[in-house]
Amino acid sequence: MGQTLTEQILDDHLVEGDLEPGEEIGIEVDQVLTQDTTGTMVWLQFEALELDEIQTELAAQYCDHQTYQFDFKNTDDHRFLRSAAGTYGAYFSQPGNGICHQVHKENFAAPGKTLLGSDSHTPTPGGLGQLAIGAGGLDIAVAMGGGAYYVEMPEVVNVRLEGELDEWATAKDVILELLRRLSVKGGVGKVLEYTGPGVETLSIPERTTITNMGTELGATSSIFPTDEHTRGWLEKFDRGDEHVALAPDEDADYADEIVVDLSAIEPLIAAPSMPDNVMPVGEAAGTDVDQVIVGSCTNGAYEDILPAAKMLSGQQIDRRTEMIVAPGSKQASEMLARNGWTAELMAAGVNFSEATCGACIGIGHVPASDSVSLRTFNRNFEGRSGIEDDSVYLCSPEVAAAAALAGEIVDPRDLADELDGLEAPGFEMGSGYSPGYGEGDADIIRPEESVDDDLIKGPNIGDVPLKDQLGAHIEGPALLKMGDNITTDHIIPATSDILMYRSNVPKLSEFTLSRVDEAFADRALEADGGFLLAGENYGQGSSREHAALCPMYLGVEGVLARSFARIHKANLFNFGLIPLTIDEATYERIDQGDDVEIVDDVRTAVDQGREAFTVRVNDDWEATARLDANGRERRILAAGGKLPHTRQQFA
Ligand code: MIC
Ligand code: SF4
């Protein structure tokens, strides 16, 4: 039986296990990427592992999330990151050079290689045939030290693309269509592999919009085969020699097949406040729009912004609406400027942001109260834009530009009928990129150009807290009862007032779950132990390990949930918190404040590989909770987390 493309790449990198879905495999990591908000912990952990230099082929440190440096703490973080990259041998992308996924795609993404990144949208270069996976920071630190990355062998699903996109339909609508069909849980444990005759109709920026947002499906990764589009993209950056022909075997065996007829795709929109709340744009038409933003790691390429620029050229945006363009990289900004589009957009009334994540996590351009914001981003979780009760819609640049012109949500096809001369902009590849990270690139410091050989730690850079080894007895209150699909944005928000403490865990912990219950952190500290209680898909969204680290710091011992999101579950193990799965009846019956005791000798049960644990509630009734963990995860849990465990191993 032939192999899927995913299996081929995994096979090439396999160091442990068999490619059996559901079984754990260990893979060699060729490249790592990290960014400013997860990177500080990565390097502190790398330092704690007492290693001298990075062992992967390439490591890249980006400064992209908080580039406005509102507070010296952010600037201290950036200086620390530059010093760490220089000291240990990573490329350093300066603040303002762009969002990690876009800059990596331009400079380093390499077909057939593996990439591990401390950001959940790391799968973006899957559009170039790279097998890229998002993970917690500690997993990145260990991989940089030469350790394998362990992950459950995913099921590989064939997403067969047929036909060709019609006018006004875009790659963004393809991934929104998949979210509509599969939901934010639909990709958990899966790699989505795109095949079929529709593939060749999509350019690299279009493919990477799709692979980027596969994360919103919960997928482990998403990948396209390579072809002349891939070669052409690499050539634009003087990297044509990195092209590798990649395709699944003809008799590859997929776990499942999803057929998407591109010609039937129409303009879609994800309504507040989940990326899978998808509907045809027409169904939301007529809603007044206060703010429009085009950009982010999903739609921030030059080619993504170009259609909006063409639509707005010579026009004026509606007086009710503010519009911002936030390019994904400085390269994209430069191309817009060189080709005259910046001036066109400005004349139409658009404001420009530097190339940053910014507004995507509520840093700048926070919507007004009780207002509607339309964004070409990938996430619209409630409150993420920086204001509670926000109303954020996700859509393509075309739909965004149409709304800016009309002042309300409108199907661009209807607007084109109304407005004389508004034509479908189509998709056009850019030319005239400046070549990537070679000598003379002002914004990327190559390892050999480093200006640092020691870590520079400002007063905000703290230590990595550690947990004791797992003991025999765990008991404590159910500290907080939560519903389904709780995101890591709920657990540790990323807004600017909080983000500056990512390298200061004691301070950051004060904000733990504050979006759900402001009193949580105090209650947890006081209880000094206890559990979190949650519904399905607990911890979806961001890869931020702080969502496990901070509860650990507050004394939380474990999470009882109906199910877990992949990266967050790994982060819970990494910081020594026990993730237990419970059934619906048990979830319904436990109330916040109830006393929960694991009856078994937990340490022995974990060591012996036991799956079923008995929990006793209020000393009154009992239920079964399950620990779904392999031997490695159990050893990590027993050691009190991955850092102590890895130190033992490296020693
Ligand atoms: C996000 O989109 O939520 C982030 C901010 O990029 C996170 C990383 C972080 O929390 O620092 C992610 O996607 O992993
Ligand atoms: Fe940045 Fe938003 Fe992309 Fe996360 S999803 S990397 S915050 S642009």
Side-chain angles (χ1 to χ4, degrees), residues 35 37-38 65 101 118-121 215 297 357 360-361 378-379 381 384 488-489 492 494 499 502 541-544 546:
Q35 36 89 336
T37 56
T38 53
H65 281 65
H101 312 300
S118 63
D119 192 283
S120 63
H121 291 101
T215 296
C297 62
C357 295
C360 185
I361 40 173
N378 49 35
R379 288 183 173 146
F381 302 145
R384 181 174 159 99
T488 49
D489 277 320
I492 288 290
L499 199 67
R502 283 284 181 97
S542 152
S543 66
R544 66 193 71 142
H546 303 80

Side-chain angles (χ1 to χ4, degrees), residues 268-309:
L268 298 172
I269 197 162
S273 290
M274 246 335 130
D276 61 0
N277 194 10
V278 174
M279 58 189 68
V281 178
E283 281 183 24
T287 309
D288 286 346
V289 174
D290 303 82
Q291 183 192 56
V292 168
I293 312 185
V294 173
S296 90
C297 62
T298 317
N299 280 120
Y302 168 75
E303 290 80 3
D304 291 317
I305 300 167
L306 192 55

Side-chain angles (χ1 to χ4, degrees), residues 10-11 14-26 151-154:
L10 287 174
D11 214 1
L14 198 66
V15 292
E16 227 176 291
D18 298 314
L19 302 180
E20 285 296 320
E23 295 294 309
E24 183 169 84
I25 52 169
V151 62
E152 194 172 284
M153 175 64 198

Side-chain angles (χ1 to χ4, degrees), residues 18 28 31 58 60 62 70 98 148 191 221 223 236 246 279 338 427 433 465 490 504 523 571 585 621:
D18 298 314
E28 190 187 342
Q31 301 186 342
L58 179 135
Y62 298 94
F70 288 142
V191 170
S221 193
I223 193 164
K236 280 182 196 295
L246 294 171
M279 58 189 68
R338 285 189 195 283
F427 199 89
Y433 284 91
H490 289 103
N504 178 348
R523 189 161 68 242
N571 285 335
W621 55 277

